[in-house]
Amino acid sequence: MVGIVGLGLLTAPTAGAAEQPPQPVTAGALPTPQTDGIVLSMAIVGDTVYAGGHFSKARPSGVAPGGAGEVARDNLLAFDLGTGELLDWSPSVTSTEFESSADPGPLCDSLGENRWRCDTVFNVTAAPDDSRVYVGGDFDRINDRWRSRVAAFDAADRTLVDGFDPRVAGRVRALSVTEDTVYLGGAFDSVDGTDRTRLAAVSTSGELLPWSPTADATVHSLLAVPEQRRTLIGGAFDNVNGQSRVALTAVDDTTGAGVPWQWEAPAAEDVVTDIDTDGSGRAYIGSYNWDGGNVDRFEGRGAVRIEDGSTVWMDGCYGDTQSVAVSEGVVYAASHTHSCAALDAIPEDGPIDYQRLTAETAAATGTAPRDTNHVAEGDPVPELLPWLPNTNGGPEDSPWQNGTWAIEANSDYVVVGGEFTTVNGERQQSLTRFAARSVPDAVNNGPQIPFRAPDVRREWLSGDVTIEWTGTWDAQNRSIRYEVVRVGESEPIHTVTKESWPWSLPTMRFTDTGAPDGSTEYWIRAVDADGASIGSPRGSTDW
């Protein structure tokens, strides 16, 4: 294998060329702390990333479990966004033990003899002004102080906020925070002893507010949009406020009453897991389908107008989506995407069956070429962008094997959490991060191996040599420049640029009419727009 790095850029587009799509961050993973469990939610607050989930230890990047630098971290941790350094913040997050003959699930800890403890953090959300960090989950104590399923930390000194201590009777899975209100969603039935059915709101000082819509099943996600007087609700429900509303709807952000809403779930078993917005008046959503048997089901991503729930686009992909994040015109997703026929992408039988990290345009850029899943021919669709880092599904004993569970983004970084134990084939557990090209420490992840030797054949009559090869793919660029190099010469004898994806590799051919007599060797250099390159093994004429 011949490795060449930094050998030039692809030709820049000429003036008047079509508008270029937004550019995702690079696909090479940066050093990031690890945990011994699963990260379910994160929030970026300035230069700090707060992460919550179900774990008991954290360790530096590259360190094996139990290795040097491993420290205790109790379902919450923080690290520096720019350096990946684990920070000292280490709150104790726990809950009261209880007795049950029924297993409460893999995110609770068995203490033996039908005794359990459930203290997972399901949601980490920042206040709009980044002054506070709110967390929700199963816990009932933080730092030995009573905090029933929801708590707030001061972002300046990372101390628990005094006085913010509403008592929530059941799991909190979703949070959305405005200037003066904290919206709660989950599987609870009361707050401060007052009936609240899976949805509630408290003031930022902790007092229960009148807002009290009801949902008939777990709420997984919330997005409060005070500018439009709406709060979007996503989850596993079939009804909100007693009206048929499957998986996603909106209510008035003050009264909790239903508001006009157009979007309808393709299947009754769909569950909207996450909602994000970029301030454009659109909400971006991800979903899974708990049944999986329906041909038409919502498992990918979509965009809807906040004002009325009308559809902007749906990508029609299969594969559960756990989390979405939008930044700089790009919708990033943590999922296990496959079979995106509406985008002509990621076929289920391709060399990468599951793509656990994807990027799409926030805007619809084209139309579906065919009827597929719940998308009809001619429907607006986004564009799949060339950002293809990947992880594994997680530990072999995982009940989910989802790999990635949480994703957050700003203009410089994308951070990812989950249950994975490898990133881009290297050991890294539960957390990773990626940087924009403008960040000095960004890591390119360019042309991929295997990149095989060219097939080289000499014509008997003319003596010309035909070089034929199959291209490779690139984890962060759509196009690759291929350079045919005759061994012994410094400059390529031919160049050609082709687009490729892991599931669609081009085949190319060039005839060397100036080939010398005798056995001659050739190899191919693949170079992307960021200057990253690899070389193929050599192919020879043998005579």
Side-chain angles (χ1 to χ4, degrees), residues 60-323:
S61 180
V63 173
E70 185 174 75
V71 294
R73 287 295 185 272
D74 198 1
N75 300 326
L76 282 173
L77 62 77
F79 64 91
D80 187 283
L81 177 62
T83 67
E85 179 184 0
L86 183 68
L87 302 179
D88 291 337
W89 187 62
S90 182
S92 171
V93 181
T94 188
S95 70
T96 303
E97 298 177 13
F98 64 95
E99 185 173 349
S100 173
S101 59
D103 187 338
L107 291 174
C108 295
D109 298 316
S110 172
L111 305 177
E113 298 181 357
N114 292 330
R115 296 197 63 79
W116 307 89
R117 180 176 57 237
C118 300
D119 52 16
T120 296
V121 173
F122 280 90
N123 194 286
V124 183
T125 297
D129 62 359
D130 285 350
S131 63
R132 286 184 178 182
V133 177
Y134 293 87
V135 298
D138 282 340
F139 55 84
D140 61 22
R141 289 191 304 280
I142 294 183
N143 294 338
D144 291 326
R145 299 170 65 183
W146 183 262
R147 289 295 186 272
S148 180
R149 283 90 184 190
V150 65
F153 293 89
D154 186 293
D157 59 13
R158 303 192 182 102
T159 58
L160 199 62
V161 174
D162 289 330
F164 184 85
D165 58 353
R167 294 169 292 126
V168 185
R171 175 176 291 173
V172 172
R173 290 200 69 140
L175 295 170
S176 187
V177 184
T178 67
E179 182 180 345
D180 56 10
T181 303
V182 182
Y183 294 89
L184 315 175
F188 51 84
D189 57 20
S190 71
V191 177
D192 289 341
T194 300
D195 288 349
R196 290 291 186 269
T197 307
R198 302 181 180 90
L199 289 161
V202 298
S203 70
T204 52
S205 56
E207 292 84 8
L208 181 64
L209 298 176
W211 191 80
S212 58
T214 63
D216 65 351
T218 301
V219 172
H220 288 249
S221 51
L222 292 169
L223 176 67
V225 189
E227 299 84 2
Q228 295 178 266
R229 299 297 305 275
R230 289 182 162 217
T231 297
L232 276 60
I233 304 168
F237 48 80
D238 295 322
N239 297 277
V240 171
N241 288 337
Q243 294 184 317
S244 177
R245 294 287 188 272
V246 177
L248 178 70
T249 191
V251 298
D252 186 281
D253 68 343
T254 301
T255 68
V259 295
W261 188 255
Q262 296 183 29
W263 189 86
E264 295 183 0
E269 299 82 8
D270 293 335
V271 179
V272 168
T273 54
D274 199 14
I275 312 171
D276 197 14
T277 188
D278 54 3
S280 66
R282 296 188 297 266
Y284 304 92
I285 54 178
S287 178
Y288 78 92
N289 182 284
W290 57 261
D291 179 66
N294 300 308
V295 174
D296 295 339
R297 60 184 191 264
F298 181 27
E299 293 182 336
R301 279 71 53 191
V304 299
R305 295 176 183 88
I306 294 170
E307 63 183 2
D308 59 6
S310 58
T311 299
V312 178
W313 55 258
M314 302 287 282
D315 68 10
C317 296
Y318 290 98
D320 298 348
T321 298
Q322 305 299 332
S323 181

Side-chain angles (χ1 to χ4, degrees), residues 34-37 57-60 62-68 70 421 427 429:
Q34 306 175 78
T35 80
D36 63 345
K57 296 182 184 299
R59 62 189 190 275
V63 173
E70 185 174 75
T421 58
R427 286 186 178 181
Q429 187 172 4

